[in-house]
Amino acid sequence: MSKLLAVDLDGTLFYPKKRRHCISRKNVKFLRKWIDEGNRLVLVTSRSHDFTVRLDDEIQRPYDVLNCTSSQIYHDGNLIYDKSMKNEDLQRILEDINKKYHPIASFITSKRQPCVIREENKLGFFLKMIYRMWYFFQFCYREPSVVSKEEFAKELEDGEVYKVMIFFGLGKNKGKLSKEINKELRENYPEIESSWSLIVNELTPKDCNKGAGLERYCQMLNINPDDVYVVGDSGNDIAMFNRFHENSYCMAHAYPSVKKYAKHIITRVYKLDDLVLKGEK
């Protein structure tokens, strides 16, 4: 029976990182074999559609995508689901977050802009240098971005915003803070979805988390949930682990607080060749 592999990108399918190609050779080989044997592939990511279309040349097989943590769903290259946040609600929520938590920067992904960055507090020279170095060493993983308070304000005013990422700083303590803030955001703002990934908090439209989005995708394409295999590594993948627990796989390098939600632990995505494909045979 045909199976569906729903896989996260950063830290999962993109692990380990390469310079010239986003996906490692062994992972690409496995994905092609998975699809060639009659199974489906869907990428479930917080990244924008502008980025994921670049993976066509690497995978060279048909696949679908849940972009912006499922705010957009693409099937056979066509947009079949599209949901953005209410501008007035988002403006109010971000204003509250800035006053209460004092983040360093916020990132918007919208229909017009794959990534607009607004500095919430004036960044020091040291932090700016770190960001520039980090962006340079992203190599093929870079997403086009613009730093502009004006563009950010424009998207908040009348743009179709699919995702907002809020950055609080670097270090282990910031990661812990991000996780704690996520709990408060989920309690205080039920009109949106909130999740955390390392040191970043992610806001998306209501019912647009990875678990709900994948469930919606399966319903639209009449896919049996028992045939779904999910793989991830961070906080925003927990919703997938919960909804598709029996066949849930978490990367071994993930935080313990994330791994505990998955039924299985895996070191590389291509290991599913032995665990699922060859295992069934």
Side-chain angles (χ1 to χ4, degrees), residues 26-165:
K26 289 184 178 180
N27 278 347
V28 167
K29 183 179 179 181
F30 163 68
L31 292 182
R32 292 175 181 174
K33 180 179 179 182
W34 176 273
I35 297 168
D36 289 345
E37 292 193 6
N39 301 304
R40 295 173 181 259
L41 170 66
V42 59
L43 308 180
V44 189
T45 177
S46 64
R47 286 185 178 261
S48 68
H49 186 65
D50 296 88
F51 176 87
T52 53
V53 292
R54 287 190 260 161
L55 300 177
D56 291 359
D57 292 337
E58 295 190 37
I59 299 175
Q60 296 182 3
R61 297 291 189 279
Y63 64 92
D64 293 336
V65 189
L66 273 63
N67 288 113
C68 297
T69 320
S70 83
S71 298
Q72 293 181 304
I73 299 178
Y74 283 85
H75 170 57
D76 288 341
N78 300 310
L79 182 64
I80 62 172
Y81 183 82
D82 184 83
K83 185 176 183 180
S84 58
M85 287 179 273
K86 292 182 178 179
N87 298 82
E88 58 273 17
D89 287 348
L90 186 57
Q91 288 175 330
R92 172 178 51 83
I93 291 169
L94 290 183
E95 184 176 344
D96 290 348
I97 291 173
N98 288 340
K99 288 180 179 178
K100 187 173 182 179
Y101 304 113
H102 309 292
I104 291 177
S106 297
F107 306 70
I108 268 184
T109 297
S110 68
K111 193 167 191 175
R112 293 186 296 226
Q113 299 277 7
C115 183
V116 182
I117 305 171
R118 180 178 72 181
E119 296 179 9
E120 305 293 2
N121 294 295
K122 189 172 179 61
L123 295 179
F125 175 79
F126 182 66
L127 278 176
K128 285 186 177 180
M129 286 300 297
I130 289 178
Y131 173 75
R132 288 169 184 166
M133 291 177 61
W134 171 84
Y135 187 77
F136 174 79
F137 286 108
Q138 288 300 294
F139 299 113
C140 59
Y141 303 97
R142 295 176 190 155
E143 287 206 61
S145 61
V146 57
V147 180
S148 171
K149 290 186 177 180
E150 292 75 20
E151 289 295 324
F152 194 99
K154 180 176 176 57
E155 294 307 315
L156 274 183
E157 180 65 30
D158 60 11
E160 295 180 53
V161 180
Y162 299 123
K163 180 192 68 175
V164 176
M165 300 184 77

